């Protein structure tokens, strides 16, 4: 059964329960345990997603309750840390390749893969809510391994998706370590110097072509 939406109309924080009003106007009992691990207590007026199950005493009760995304979620620690990590990564990348012509094209590729990964996480979250066909975890990991892990890091807390699931989380962090390690070797290894030089030549030829087409005006 897919999740339905409602509003937490009444909430007794001391006793840890309340009632969700669904779209049909029914009041559905909900206990604080149905929210899982939470950093802040529920409050009346919050929009939620939930499933229902029969209950001998209450008729039905809500379970697997999920608070709908709101702008305040951007200030949560679980989102701020990935945001800081992603910002440091892209900033360090740009500075590390300051002398290389190919940095613009490589960064553009990384942005594209990260955006695609972010979108795929969002689609998988929606599919999970609607009990539709899911995006395979292997696809999400391959996108992350291809350089899209910043998109995964931002999507997980924002969509509240795959944040605690194991071994998915452990594999994702391993992917991050592998990506940063490989990039570090590429930047600082003398063995990778011929590859960096070759990429610079290719990038310069593209930049010259873009300048001739009038697409860029800055000096090359």
């Amino acid at each position: 059964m897919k999740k339905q939406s409602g509003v937490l109309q009444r909430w007794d924080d001391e006793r840890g329960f309340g009632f969700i009003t669904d779209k049909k106007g029914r009041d559905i009992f909900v206990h604080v345990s149905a929210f899982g691990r939470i950093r802040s207590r529920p409050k009346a007026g919050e929009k939620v997603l939930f499933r229902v199950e029969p209950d001998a005493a209450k008729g039905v009760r809500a379970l697997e309750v999920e608070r709908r995304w709101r702008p305040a979620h951007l200030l949560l620690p679980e989102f701020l840390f990935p945001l800081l990590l992603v910002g440091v990564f892209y900033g360090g990348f740009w500075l590390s390749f300051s002398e290389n012509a190919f940095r613009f094209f490589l960064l553009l590729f990384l942005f594209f893969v990260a955006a695609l990964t972010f979108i795929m996480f969002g689609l998988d979250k929606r599919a999970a809510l609607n009990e539709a066909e899911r995006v395979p975890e292997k696809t999400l990991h391959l996108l992350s391994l291809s350089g899209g892990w910043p998109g995964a890091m931002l999507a997980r807390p924002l969509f509240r998706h795959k944040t605690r699931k194991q071994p998915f989380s452990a594999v994702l962090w391993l992917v991050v370590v592998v990506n940063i390690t490989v990039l570090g070797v590429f930047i600082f290894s003398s063995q990778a110097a011929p590859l960096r030089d070759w990429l610079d030549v290719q990038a310069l030829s593209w930049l010259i072509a873009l300048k001739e087409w009038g697409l860029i005006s800055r000096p090359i």
Side-chain angles (χ1 to χ4, degrees), residues 15-147:
R15 301 169 71 182
F17 72 85
F19 291 89
I20 297 171
T21 301
D22 66 6
K23 289 183 177 180
K24 297 179 180 179
R26 298 178 301 174
D27 286 338
I28 300 171
F29 176 82
V30 59
H31 189 264
V32 67
S33 60
F35 287 85
R37 291 175 56 190
I38 52 177
R39 289 184 176 271
S40 60
R41 303 285 288 186
K43 297 180 179 62
E46 288 189 327
K47 295 180 179 180
V48 294
L49 295 171
F50 61 98
R51 291 190 174 94
V52 296
E53 67 175 358
D55 183 270
K58 307 295 181 182
V60 292
R61 65 187 293 146
L63 72 159
E64 298 180 32
V65 181
E66 179 181 351
R67 298 150 98 172
R68 298 291 296 270
W69 184 87
R70 50 191 174 139
H73 290 167
L74 297 176
L75 301 178
L76 293 177
E78 56 262 37
F79 183 78
L80 290 177
F81 173 71
L83 185 63
L84 177 62
L85 176 64
V86 170
V88 169
F89 169 74
Y90 284 129
F93 172 91
W94 190 252
L95 292 175
S96 298
F97 290 108
S98 59
E99 302 299 323
N100 298 102
F102 63 79
R103 68 171 178 170
F104 170 78
F105 297 102
L106 186 53
L107 187 62
L108 193 63
F109 168 78
L110 292 176
F111 276 150
F112 171 77
V113 180
L116 180 59
T117 306
F118 184 90
I119 292 171
M120 295 303 287
F121 267 81
L123 292 175
D124 188 50
K125 173 67 174 183
R126 186 169 68 175
L129 293 176
N130 296 326
E131 295 188 333
E133 184 176 354
R134 302 287 299 278
V135 178
E137 288 191 353
K138 180 167 37 173
T139 300
L140 298 176
H141 283 314
L142 285 175
L143 285 170
S144 299
L145 187 61
S146 300

Side-chain angles (χ1 to χ4, degrees), residues 171-188:
V171 173
L172 180 59
W173 277 109
L174 178 62
V175 165
V176 173
V177 172
V178 169
N179 258 254
I180 294 177
T181 301
V182 170
L183 188 60
V185 170
F186 177 62
I187 294 172
F188 300 110

Side-chain angles (χ1 to χ4, degrees), residues 192-213:
L195 177 58
R196 293 195 297 268
D197 294 339
W198 181 82
L199 287 174
D200 260 340
V201 172
Q202 302 303 312
L204 282 171
S205 65
W206 273 99
L207 289 171
I208 292 171
L210 291 174
K211 187 172 180 62
E212 290 176 350
W213 296 338

